[in-house]
Every structure is written in C-alpha cells, then in structure tokens.
Amino acid sequence: EFRRVLFRSVAGPLQGRRIALAPLNEAAIAELVDSLQIEGLQGSALAAELRQRTGGNPLFVLETLKDRWVAPRSDLAPAKVTALIDRRIGQLSREAVRLARCAAVAGGDFSAALAARVLGMPALDLADAWSELEAAQVFRDAQFAHDLIRDAALGSVPPPIAQELHRQIAQWLQDAAADPARAAAHWLAGGEEARAVPLLEAAVQAALRALRYPEALDMLERLQSILGRLGRTGERLALINRSIATAVLAGSADFALRLSDQALAAARDGPERGVALVARCDMLSHRGQFAEAEACAREALPLLRNDGEHAHAARLVLANLLSHSGRSLEAEALLGESEAWLDSPQGARTERIAFEAARAFAIQGGDQPARAVDAWRRVLDLARTQGHGQVLPSALANQGAVLFACGRLEEAREAF
C-alpha cells in the first residue's frame, strides 16, 4: 500500500508512468555478475542456476549473490530474498494464496484441472486468482515464475496439510491414468507407502519396456525399502531377485552381485534359497563365471522340486550352460523334463519361446543340423506370432548357420 501511495504522489506532479521491466535472461545475468568484478564469481558459470532460482529478478539475483559471497551456501536461497517473497505472497488475496499453495505442493504435476479438483471449485472460478498470481509475477506460463517463489509458497503449508494435499493430488493423477511414477511420488509424500507400491511396480515395468534401466533400478531399490518397512518380506525377496536381472541389463554387475548376496541372506527356506540361486546363476552367466553359475543351478534344482515354474527356470539356465560347454545331449535331456511341465495346465501359461530357443541351441550344438533347422523354425514362428522381436536377429543367424551346415545355401543366404 505504501508503494502505491508513493507512486501516486510522484506520478501526479511529475507526470510519471509505471514501466514493467522484463526479467533478465541468462546473458544479462551473466553480464550483471561479471560487472560486479567479484573474485571467484563468474557470470557464465552462475547464470543458468541464478535464472532458474530467481526468475531473472535483478534484486533477487543481487541478494542471492551477496548471500553466497559473504556466507557461502549451496542452495542459493538467502534469507532476505525469502522474506521479500513471503511478503509478496502475503499481499495476495486468500483465493490466490490457496491456488499458489496448491501449485507448490503439486509441483510439475500442477494444472488448472488438478487445482479445480483439489480446491473443490469449478475451473472458471480460478480465473481471478490465477490472473492475480500472474500480475504479481508469481505465476508465468501456468507455473511458478522461479523456484524461490515455489519454495516460499511450499514453506507456508503446514506439513499435515501438505500431506493431505499430496494424497488428493495422487488420487487425481491415478484417476486420470497419469504417469504411475508421478502418482506414486505423491502417495509417498502423503505418507501412503502401501498405496504407492502397485504404482511403482507399474512404473518399473514402463521403464523396463523403454530400456530405461537405471531409472528402473532406482525405483526397484525404493520398492525394496518400502516393502521391508511394510513387513512384506516375501514380496521384497521376490523383488530383489527380479532386480538382479535388471541390474545385469543396466550393466551394474557389482550391484547385481550385492543384490544376489542380499537375496541369499534373506531366504527363509529351501524354495526361497532355490529361487535366489537361479537369479544368481543367471547373473554369474552374464559375468562369464560359468562354473560358479552351474554350481548354483545344480544346487537350486533339488530345492525347487515342488515348484514347477522356478524349477523350469533353473533347468533353462542350466541347459544353456551345458550347451555352452559342449554338453548338448545332457542339456537336451534336462529340457525334456521341462517339456512335460510346459504341457501341463500350470505350465501352459508360461511363454515357450525361451524353452524352444534353449532346445534349438542344444540340438545345434549336438551336431544335428537337420533337426536344428526345424527347432530354429519353431523359435522364429513363436517370435513372429507372439511379438518377441528381440529374439529374431539371433534366431535368424542360428537358422542361417544350420541351413548352411545342411548345404541349403540359398536358404541360408536369405536367413542371413
């Protein structure tokens, strides 16, 4: 109010006019920093972070620099700037403050539709508050003008209220079929770990499909911690075993080994140890430690005699190891035990392509090219009809090799 009175008193007799200054861009911020000629501060190195944190407000830039230079801090958020922003927000209407707080808690998920749902009002009724926030340079392009304003707005929300807002935002995102990772993040911030679990699992699968393995690993680690806190030990152990294969795909061999050690330590009985050994066997195979891998698989099989699915997995990995070391007849005989299970009602739900590929590899290694041609043809048919495109290159190469061995040169050329 004082500023408005002062402006009117000056503008009247002097015929002054208000000029709205645009925020400084990165180049201007860099020039401003360099113009201060302060040793150790380089504009080009600080401009992007200062632009993000202050929105290009020259006063905030200078106060931030002063705070960092006089009493260095890593967060670039000086108390004086925070106080100025708090004062600015405090001058807004009640409706504008509510909208700003909702936006601060929602973060990157904020939208008009979300605000209308969480604040319990039609979107049209948000128009005045929204315009007020834009006029006050709190909002710009449907988001906060800069991080310091969001931090101030978020800091004004008591933790219990923020948690409830997070829960409402999570439910809205879940109902809207938004990115499961985003909905999960809000359930976690709202203190609802159990409700975040299925969403995190869906997010892991989405990351794996997109080959974003490091991201999948991060979420798997978070899931393990959550399941441990919830006392869901069996689910946690199964998740650790699944994470081993993901760590291998991500190229994190040491991490995969640590996960395997965790799984073996957490196993409570023989079957759980057997499952952990199968996962360890697969990991060791990728590391080229074939003898150790075979020992794990052989130890796992008797432990899994009453678990058809996991026994099948153990036979598959062991058969591939045997074929790799030239013991193809032994590998084919071992796979015969799995074929009987795959033909059962329980095994019929399991995808056959890994089994057919292992059997084709064993037959090919047994120097039976004519049988191997038919075996690799079955693999190719399954790959094409069931959408296993990742199998096609290696299957075609092996098909070409056995066709060549049979003297069917034209067919071999087409396969290659």
Side-chain angles (χ1 to χ4, degrees), residues 2-36:
F2 171 76
R3 285 179 295 178
R4 286 194 289 270
V5 172
L6 177 63
F7 175 75
R8 285 196 297 269
S9 66
V10 172
L14 300 179
Q15 296 183 339
R17 61 190 179 90
R18 184 186 298 272
I19 299 175
L21 298 176
L24 301 179
N25 58 25
E26 286 188 24
I29 291 175
E31 185 179 352
L32 173 61
V33 173
D34 290 338
S35 71
L36 300 175

Side-chain angles (χ1 to χ4, degrees), residues 208-236:
L208 290 176
R209 285 193 297 272
L211 307 182
R212 301 194 307 268
Y213 296 122
E215 180 183 334
L217 276 180
D218 287 343
M219 288 188 285
L220 284 168
E221 273 201 284
R222 199 176 316 154
L223 259 175
Q224 288 176 38
S225 299
I226 292 170
L227 291 172
R229 285 193 295 273
L230 295 175
R232 291 156 65 169
T233 308
E235 289 178 68
R236 178 177 177 268

